[in-house]
């Protein structure tokens, strides 16, 4: 790995904070775990979504961290709001600065339950820069949960199918009708992603981290490394 890539990775990890240490989301279960402690929603920036023909674009701007600043495209419906239809959406992140959706992107799943009497699921596959299916678990366990009605049985279920490299986030096992958001992080660079939303009462979005207290430390680390290379 080139030194500049190392610095970029460290910058993202430190600026994000302690979230990056979460374990990869594997296996399956009726309810995702609530993190302990639970910091709730992170400090971050949702991408700005603009409908464009049969698809949409998503954009991040400052103060999002630099690997996220830019615009990506997607073909299919925006997977949030009951004003948008359910269905299949394909994301293309190759126009972002590093050619991928960076490691440490916040994946937000909102109101995934059975309160609307529909089957509320998100089904996801991710691909690398070579176009190959990412076949290792590329999401981490939840690092934060916010909203009302939070309890262990308010969390949606999940399944990582190793045979098809597919994640399913499933609201059919939720008890009652809570209104919560679940936050997870990506742990792999994603060039393309396929997402199916089975109900327009569940919501999904991508968030970028913004500079935090560790940002100054990593800038100092980067400057020190550059100084040493010049000697």
């Amino acid at each position: 790995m080139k030194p500049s890539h190392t610095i970029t990775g460290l910058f993202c990890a430190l600026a994000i904070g302690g979230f990056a240490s979460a374990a990869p989301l594997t296996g399956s279960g009726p309810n995702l775990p609530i993190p302990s402690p639970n910091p709730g929603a992170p400090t971050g920036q949702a991408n700005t979504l603009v409908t464009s023909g049969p698809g949409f674009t998503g954009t991040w701007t400052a103060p999002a961290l630099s690997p996220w600043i830019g615009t990506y495209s997607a073909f299919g419906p925006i997977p949030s709001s009951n004003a948008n239809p359910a269905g299949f959406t394909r994301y293309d992140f190759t126009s972002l600065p590093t050619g991928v959706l960076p490691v440490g992107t916040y994946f937000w799943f909102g109101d995934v339950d059975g309160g609307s009497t529909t089957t509320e699921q998100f089904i996801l596959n991710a691909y690398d820069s070579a176009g190959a299916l990412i076949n290792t678990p590329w999401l981490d366990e939840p690092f934060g949960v916010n909203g009302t009605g939070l309890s262990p049985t308010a969390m949606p279920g999940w399944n990582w199918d190793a045979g098809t490299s597919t994640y399913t986030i499933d609201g059919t096992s939720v008890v009652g009708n809570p209104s919560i958001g679940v936050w997870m992080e990506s742990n792999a660079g994603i060039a393309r992603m396929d997402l199916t939303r089975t109900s327009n009462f569940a919501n999904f979005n991508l968030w970028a981290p913004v500079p935090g207290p560790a940002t100054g430390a990593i800038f100092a680390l980067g400057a020190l490394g550059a100084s040493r290379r010049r000697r």
Side-chain angles (χ1 to χ4, degrees), residues 52 54-58 72-76 89-92:
S52 175
F56 60 93
T57 59
Y72 66 83
S73 59
F75 184 86
T89 300
R90 171 161 290 178
Y91 291 78
D92 183 346

Side-chain angles (χ1 to χ4, degrees), residues 126-128 132-138 160 164-166 188-192:
Y127 301 82
D128 64 19
L133 194 64
I134 299 176
N135 58 15
T136 57
W138 47 268
W160 165 253
T164 61
S165 303
T166 301
I190 299 169
R192 196 181 86 230

Side-chain angles (χ1 to χ4, degrees), residues 48-57 76-78 84:
T48 300
L49 303 177
V50 178
T51 300
S52 175
F56 60 93
T57 59
I78 293 175
N84 297 316

